[in-house]
Amino acid sequence: HRHRHRHRHRHRHQKPPLMNISLNRAAIAQLCSTANKHRNLLNIAKCANQAKEQCASMLFLPECCGFLGSSAQETLTNAEEIINGSPLIDQDSRSASALSTTLECVLETGNDLGISNQDILENSQVSIVKGLQTIAMKSDMWISGTLHEQGAPASPSAAEKRPRVYNTHIIVDNHGQIVSKYRKIHLFDVSIPSQGVNLCESATTAPGSTLVVCDSPIGKLGLSTCYDLRFAEMYRALVEEGGADVILIPSAFTVPTGKAHWHTLLRARAIENQCYLLASAQYGEHNEKRKSYGHSLAIDPWGEVLSDAGGYDSMGSILDNDLATPSIIVCDIDHGKLKTTRERLPIRMHRQNCLYSW
């Protein structure tokens, strides 16, 4: 269910009227992020424009939404500082002002036709965090996204202490405040030589250790990222102990693992925890070394797929030759359905909270 959107003119500094916002409506993005931070943020602004046209109150972005490079050194160089509660700052600097101007232009028009290559800033001049804060403020919408965070401890195993980052999932409110952040716990170290997959996230990324839930306009969110999906016990804790109603799984699944497990694992997490699940995905070829499976999904507490943005099929072929990024799908969070599902099949009440014996 991809959506085509009409061009709608607005005054650049005028926020859409609040009556147009559906507080329970989520927009789930599908991107093909690259190593160009400014271009990535412009694509996120396009998604925000589409989300506002659909009256969404929140926009959910994939893993590595603002930067996806081809080397460990690129990742380390482009990591940023993230501070909970961080306000939007330094907007009077020349580069920050230029970034904000281009993002506002795309938020207003829905396209980047008026932006030339000369307008695109170097990565060193661009802050993904500030870009997301700007988009959240100007669109009057909450945003979820992940990026690489500075300040992680060096690798303890290497003879030469290698610097590392955190893979951090942040929630930005409609005032541009960072209200929550979660550092990815489970790291993706996988080698599938026959499929051309060889990724070692732990070489450059340190694991987090803390689960995070966050209140939001659409309900209480349980934060996770990509490879966390394979660890069911984490989601049980987010829902049963943390009280999450909506699980977030921003991802960049490879094509081989995506076509084998993506839909199955996501539906399983929604069914066993009886909650909504929003999985924003990267899709397409990011560089010569990496491409992602796609299929951003919205799933209800019964495990029904409410919307699927498309991507590679089970054979690794593109389902739709016209499939493009950036794009969004939308989903309304029905708290009545959440309650009814849990009442009709009370698995929490039926669970035997004891140690199983042999």
Side-chain angles (χ1 to χ4, degrees):
H1 304 304
R2 299 188 308 281
H3 302 274
R4 299 185 183 275
H5 304 278
R6 299 191 310 273
H7 177 80
R8 181 179 292 177
H9 296 281
R10 294 193 191 103
H11 190 277
R12 177 170 294 181
H13 302 291
Q14 180 182 354
K15 290 183 178 180
L18 290 177
M19 69 180 68
N20 285 344
I21 296 174
S22 172
L23 291 180
N24 290 327
R25 180 163 295 172
I28 304 96
Q30 185 148 287
L31 300 174
C32 183
S33 299
T34 66
N36 189 313
K37 286 185 175 183
H38 196 166
R39 287 289 184 193
N40 292 335
L41 285 168
L42 293 176
N43 283 332
I44 291 168
K46 291 177 188 177
C47 289
N49 172 276
Q50 296 172 21
K52 294 310 294 185
E53 292 289 332
Q54 294 293 317
C55 303
S57 63
M58 291 196 71
L59 172 63
F60 298 90
L61 303 170
E63 184 179 28
C64 304
C65 61
F67 178 85
L68 207 161
S70 58
S71 72
Q73 188 55 53
E74 275 190 299
T75 298
L76 294 169
T77 300
N78 287 279
E80 300 186 10
E81 183 179 21
I82 303 173
I83 302 172
N84 267 17
S86 172
L88 194 61
I89 57 174
D90 296 336
Q91 285 301 295
D92 54 352
S93 73
R94 180 176 296 180
S95 59
S97 177
L99 176 64
S100 181
T101 298
T102 58
L103 293 177
E104 287 184 56
C105 177
V106 174
L107 282 169
E108 180 185 354
T109 64
N111 63 69
D112 57 6
L113 298 178
I115 299 169
S116 69
N117 288 333
Q118 287 72 33
D119 296 321
I120 301 300
L121 301 169
E122 298 291 330
N123 277 0
S124 60
Q125 300 174 289
V126 176
S127 164
I128 299 168
V129 174
K130 291 174 188 174
L132 294 177
Q133 289 175 309
T134 298
I135 294 169
M137 289 176 63
K138 299 299 181 181
S139 63
D140 194 31
M141 187 162 46
W142 286 50
I143 292 178
S144 154
T146 85
L147 62 154
H148 293 107
E149 178 189 7
Q150 297 172 350
S155 173
S157 57
E160 197 176 308
K161 297 294 183 184
R162 287 186 238 164
R164 293 189 297 177
V165 296
Y166 292 112
N167 187 342
T168 302
H169 183 168
I170 64 172
I171 304 295
V172 182
D173 71 13
N174 59 329
H175 303 293
Q177 297 281 327
I178 297 174
V179 296
S180 193
K181 73 175 184 180
Y182 158 74
R183 291 168 172 163
K184 184 179 180 182
I185 292 172
H186 303 99
L187 302 180
F188 187 66
D189 291 356
V190 173
S191 178
I192 313 174
S194 63
Q195 300 286 341
V197 175
N198 186 22
L199 296 171
C200 184
E201 188 175 18
S202 64
T204 55
T205 306
S209 58
T210 305
L211 298 181
V212 175
V213 295
C214 172
D215 289 322
S216 80
I218 67 168
K220 183 166 281 191
L221 310 175
L223 277 63
S224 70
T225 303
C226 201
Y227 192 52
D228 288 330
L229 171 60
R230 294 182 181 273
F231 301 90
E233 64 277 8
M234 174 175 171
Y235 297 94
R236 181 175 168 187
L238 286 171
V239 174
E240 295 198 3
E241 298 172 34
D245 300 317
V246 182
I247 289 173
L248 307 182
I249 311 182
S251 298
F253 255 56
T254 67
V255 175
T257 55
K259 69 183 185 181
H261 301 146
W262 177 247
H263 288 77
T264 302
L265 286 171
L266 290 170
R267 292 189 65 217
R269 295 297 89 84
I271 293 166
E272 65 199 8
N273 292 291
Q274 298 181 311
C275 61
Y276 280 89
L277 189 148
L278 307 179
S280 46
Q282 293 280 358
Y283 164 68
E285 190 168 335
H286 309 286
N287 52 56
E288 67 281 359
K289 295 181 179 179
R290 187 167 179 182
K291 63 181 178 180
S292 295
Y293 178 65
H295 290 283
S296 292
L297 294 178
I299 303 175
D300 76 5
W302 193 245
E304 180 183 356
V305 175
L306 303 176
S307 194
D308 183 333
Y312 293 93
D313 67 12
S314 60
M315 301 301 292
S317 301
I318 299 173
L319 281 173
D320 182 347
N321 288 328
D322 295 326
L323 190 63
T325 54
S327 63
I328 66 163
I329 54 175
V330 295
C331 168
D332 289 331
I333 305 301
D334 182 345
H335 289 275
K337 179 185 282 189
L338 194 71
K339 183 173 183 289
T340 300
T341 301
R342 292 174 176 179
E343 287 176 346
R344 290 180 176 176
L345 189 61
I347 59 175
R348 293 189 206 183
M349 187 185 303
H350 296 159
R351 177 171 284 120
Q352 299 295 316
N353 291 312
C354 62
L355 292 175
Y356 294 103
S357 58
W358 294 91

